[in-house]
Amino acid sequence: MRYLHETLKLIKSGELSPEEHLEDIISGLDKDKEINSFITLDLDGARERVKNINPSGELYGAVVGLKDNINYKGLKTTCASKMLENFESVYNADCAENIESEGGVVIGKLNMDEFAMGSSNETSYFGPVKNPIDHTLVPGGSSGGSAAATKMGFVDVAVGTDTGGSIRQPGSFCSVVGFKPTYGLVSRYGVTSLANTFDSVGSFGRCVEDAYILLRAMAKDTPNDMTKISADMPEMKTSIEEDINDLKGKKIAILSHLKDFDLAPEVKESYDKSLKILEKAGVEIVEAEFEHLDYAVATYYAIIDSEASSNLSRFDGIRYAGIKSDVKNFSDYMKEVRTAGFSDEVKRRILLGMYIMSSDLRETYYDKALIIREKIAEDYDRIFKNADAILTPTATTLPFKLESQVKNPRQMMEGDLLTVAINLAGIPGINVPSTSENVINAGMQFLGKKKSDYNLARIARAYEGLVK
């Protein structure tokens, strides 16, 4: 299975045509019956689009999948929900527009947890995604379809969204690279929002370079998103050997009380091994204290559920296709269609968000959570004054069995311990598999300061080279 950057070189040299490459991809898609990574496949559309793609684009000939909360004109955008089962997009999200302008070919929409709420991809109305390495395990979520399709080679690269780990955790569970950029680096215009101040559009690839290529192509400036920022994102022209050599003298921080966390033995073993590999390459490992990390999960859920309850209020079965009802009373109609249209997980979060934002409780929960959010951002700023990156495991466990945790919301939330804090602070993070073998493994998460996405990618790429 070729990497994207290898395919792009073959296409550019004329040894492979975009049409031939697309047909190569399509020939393997019958295997998705076992994985369920796609909600919508648009093979005929892709075959038409590939004839007219931009030959000078950075993604010329790349086959790309979009998470199904990203609008793409003419295809359904269901957010994996019954509420939007028949909703068809009438415009392209900025990220999809940028992919096409750079010569990429969108092949379909990928499965996810409903409205991006979940960590296992089991809350999808269209059925769970299965882990591509072991079909008895979850692929992670909420971007499980994007991670699984990338691992299986159903796409060269895929787009996901990350609100609290939804790119990095499935990247770890499916053994692919998942890149969550600095908040605002990629426009969110046309992306169905879970929580406006957290959501980041990012990329999946089978290696760091591939994920970076897609991220760079999507990170164009736009007038459509007032939170869009710019950062230095040059082409990755260095070799892996150069990146490894540049590790010498770099400082990577580890969190002092990580040892107090309940890490699975396999995760701790991979983490300790990774630190030794980096030290041997010349990295200086520095210990840092993260004062407010213990509050990250509670803070995260207090804020995102509040934002989600507001964002999802527009899904009422009237303005968007979906649920039919003969009830005449408007209040009863809303109750009926939202009860039928949303899963238990979505209803739970809407209700919790409304509870937190009620007039007599907002100050007790929401306002305090905003204060802790600022403190967490300050913790990161302090750590990065003496470190080029932070390294933690991406998840506290390896992927778990299907149906083993989905009915235990608290257990699922606690699994987000190592991923949610960076969304609170808006900094970038990238998951890299801890081995090149095609086995279940504990992904490692490299974190960087805001707008350091390119430098973070090079550090992650060096680590990738060290564990091959």
Side-chain angles (χ1 to χ4, degrees), residues 32 230 250 361 366 400 442 457 460:
D32 195 43
S230 297
K250 280 196 166 30
L361 291 173
Y366 184 76
F400 43 88

Side-chain angles (χ1 to χ4, degrees), residues 218-461:
M218 293 192 294
K220 293 182 178 180
D221 289 336
T222 174
N224 296 327
D225 182 356
M226 63 184 294
T227 64
K228 175 73 175 74
I229 64 167
S230 297
D232 188 23
M233 294 282 286
E235 286 187 59
M236 190 173 276
K237 294 183 177 180
T238 56
S239 66
I240 290 182
E241 290 72 26
E242 289 174 299
D243 291 341
I244 291 173
N245 189 60
D246 285 346
L247 280 179
K248 294 173 183 175
K250 280 196 166 30
K251 294 182 178 180
I252 291 183
I254 59 173
L255 306 182
S256 57
H257 64 301
L258 190 62
K259 59 182 177 291
D260 299 327
F261 295 172
D262 187 20
L263 299 179
E266 303 92 338
V267 174
K268 187 178 187 308
E269 181 182 352
S270 293
Y271 183 55
D272 292 342
K273 183 179 178 181
S274 296
L275 293 175
K276 290 177 182 177
I277 288 171
L278 289 166
E279 279 189 298
K280 189 175 179 180
V283 169
E284 180 183 351
I285 304 297
V286 296
E287 196 168 282
E289 186 173 351
F290 197 127
E291 295 179 14
H292 298 88
L293 184 58
D294 290 339
Y295 304 102
V297 172
T299 299
Y300 169 79
Y301 278 101
I303 301 173
I304 71 138
D305 286 353
S306 300
E307 294 186 13
S309 66
S310 175
N311 285 329
L312 269 65
S313 64
R314 66 187 183 277
F315 298 117
D316 53 16
I318 301 173
R319 286 167 287 188
Y320 300 88
I323 314 302
K324 304 296 181 183
S325 172
D326 296 325
V327 176
K328 304 301 181 184
N329 178 279
F330 179 71
S331 178
D332 290 340
Y333 173 86
M334 284 282 288
K335 180 179 179 181
E336 182 173 315
V337 299
R338 287 169 71 84
T339 296
F342 292 139
S343 69
D344 289 346
E345 178 66 21
V346 174
K347 284 182 255 188
R348 184 183 298 114
R349 295 202 192 193
I350 290 173
L351 290 170
L352 181 58
M354 294 174 68
Y355 175 78
I356 290 170
M357 292 301 287
S358 59
S359 59
D360 55 338
L361 291 173
R362 173 173 173 147
E363 186 176 340
T364 303
Y365 296 109
Y366 184 76
D367 292 349
K368 286 182 179 178
L370 293 180
I371 294 171
I372 298 298
R373 184 178 192 174
E374 291 182 7
K375 296 295 183 184
I376 286 172
E378 290 170 5
D379 281 343
Y380 280 122
D381 289 342
R382 174 177 43 78
I383 293 170
F384 286 126
K385 286 179 181 178
N386 190 44
D388 298 288
I390 298 171
L391 176 64
T392 75
T394 303
T396 58
T397 68
L398 296 180
F400 43 88
K401 293 286 186 181
L402 286 158
E403 300 184 4
S404 67
Q405 294 188 20
V406 70
K407 294 182 180 179
N408 188 332
R410 180 170 181 174
Q411 188 176 15
M412 295 285 280
M413 289 178 183
E414 289 173 349
D416 298 334
L417 179 62
L418 296 175
T419 56
V420 299
I422 80 165
N423 297 80
L424 287 159
I427 64 174
I430 182 169
N431 170 79
V432 186
S434 58
T435 177
S436 60
E437 296 178 28
N438 187 34
V439 294
I440 296 294
N441 66 92
M444 294 296 118
Q445 176 179 233
F446 290 87
L447 313 177
K449 62 183 179 181
K450 288 181 180 179
K451 298 187 178 184
S452 69
D453 302 69
Y454 171 68
N455 291 328
L456 187 66
R458 289 195 62 198
I459 290 172
R461 188 166 175 245

Side-chain angles (χ1 to χ4, degrees), residues 56-68:
S56 61
E58 294 184 17
L59 294 175
Y60 179 53
V63 177
V64 185
L66 304 177
K67 186 176 179 178
D68 203 26

